[in-house]
Amino acid sequence: MTDIVDGVAPSGRTLVESGEPVAGSMSRSAAALLFEAGTTRVTVDDRLAACLRRVAAGSALLPVPRERVRAGAALAFAVELTVTRASQGRAVRSDGFLTPDVGGRAPADELAEAAVLAARLTPEEWRVRHLGYLLAEAVVSADLDAGVVHRALRLAGELTGRQLVVLAAVGRRERTPLPMAPLPVDPRGWTAWGALEDVADLQRRGLLDPPPMTARPGGAALPRLRMADLRLTRRGVLLHRLLGLDFVREEAVTAALADLDLPRS
């Protein structure tokens, strides 16, 4: 049953504030930005705020409490990154992405609902931050149409959490060099085997270069792949950018690389 306090059903503001277990105290700040326009020094574009309020209102009566928490947190994270991007001079787009049609729906409404739905359903709550960031990045990126962003969202949902962290690691290779040791060919431990499968799957999906090499019968032995050899493809760059994978915590990257059980140098 949906919580009702003193006979009053939860509001959109209550939903955003309820994201605190995942998004921290920033949830309340985000709620104030959305529902108390003009009372804070920082502001959110009126069109975006209206979009997020509509989605918050539509999610306020979700029957599963933890889904409400994740939905509220995703919207709060979207507000957070939008404010950050505004401070960097990246304004909300003005190409119709946030303009409601005759039915009162804008492309941004559909994307926000899709991102919040993905956040609600993920058991890995660290992903919620990046799903909110996807929405925020989309609304300041006029070079990305709604179809491209929805494609990226669907693809992200097909990846394991460790795969997203590997993309984060490859994306920050310039400031945090990747290991030079060759990847294991046939690791004995299940953790290393699963991590190696994750890397190979990213290559097969066209998210990492080089693609997997196939040995020819009677051919020479294939060169050993190293983490340092990996690069983001254009598809990988899109996912890295939209999900804000630069914000993945360093300890998560360290743990994902440790799972590969690379030889010690």
Side-chain angles (χ1 to χ4, degrees):
M1 293 292 291
T2 300
D3 296 333
I4 296 181
V5 180
D6 297 330
V8 179
S11 65
R13 175 168 186 158
T14 302
L15 178 94
V16 177
E17 291 176 339
S18 74
E20 189 166 354
V22 173
S25 59
M26 185 263 296
S27 290
R28 294 189 177 275
S29 300
L33 286 172
L34 292 178
F35 294 92
E36 293 181 21
T39 64
T40 58
R41 287 187 305 167
V42 179
T43 60
V44 174
D45 180 273
D46 290 342
R47 296 163 300 152
L48 175 59
C51 167
L52 298 183
R53 286 195 298 267
R54 288 192 293 270
V55 176
S59 302
L61 297 178
L62 288 171
V64 181
R66 199 65 188 186
E67 287 192 17
R68 293 203 301 275
V69 168
R70 293 193 284 260
L75 294 173
F77 282 127
V79 172
E80 177 199 29
L81 189 61
T82 301
V83 170
T84 299
R85 292 298 186 239
S87 71
Q88 296 168 340
R90 296 184 62 192
V92 170
R93 58 201 290 176
S94 57
D95 58 354
F97 189 73
L98 285 143
T99 304
D101 59 18
V102 292
R105 301 268 295 170
D109 289 87
E110 297 173 357
L111 178 61
E113 287 184 11
V116 166
L117 176 61
R120 284 170 44 196
L121 299 180
T122 181
E124 297 175 295
E125 292 189 338
W126 67 269
R127 289 184 185 240
V128 173
R129 173 190 298 271
H130 300 282
L131 291 165
Y133 285 177
L134 176 140
L135 174 59
E137 188 65 27
V139 299
V140 298
S141 299
D143 59 324
L144 301 178
D145 63 57
V148 167
V149 181
H150 279 285
R151 173 182 289 275
L153 179 58
R154 289 193 299 272
L155 179 56
E158 296 172 0
L159 301 181
T160 69
R162 183 164 52 200
Q163 285 179 308
L164 293 178
V165 177
V166 168
L167 290 178
V170 176
R172 68 183 61 173
R173 55 177 297 117
E174 299 302 326
R175 66 175 191 268
T176 307
L178 292 169
M180 297 291 292
L183 294 174
V185 175
D186 187 21
R188 299 176 67 90
W190 285 113
T191 298
W193 179 86
L196 191 62
E197 285 289 297
D198 278 344
V199 172
D201 185 54
L202 289 171
Q203 293 176 278
R204 286 192 294 268
R205 289 176 180 270
L207 291 159
L208 290 179
D209 270 337
M213 291 181 288
T214 303
R216 295 179 180 177
L222 295 175
R224 297 282 295 279
L225 179 70
R226 305 171 301 173
M227 285 297 296
D229 296 328
L230 296 172
R231 302 287 191 279
L232 295 177
T233 63
R234 188 175 187 185
R235 182 181 294 182
V237 168
L238 175 68
L239 221 57
H240 189 280
R241 169 185 167 183
L242 276 171
L243 291 171
L245 295 182
D246 262 340
F247 294 98
V248 170
R249 292 180 172 83
E250 196 63 41
E251 57 265 30
V253 171
T254 300
L257 295 179
D259 286 347
L260 287 162
D261 195 23
L262 298 172
R264 298 182 183 275
S265 56

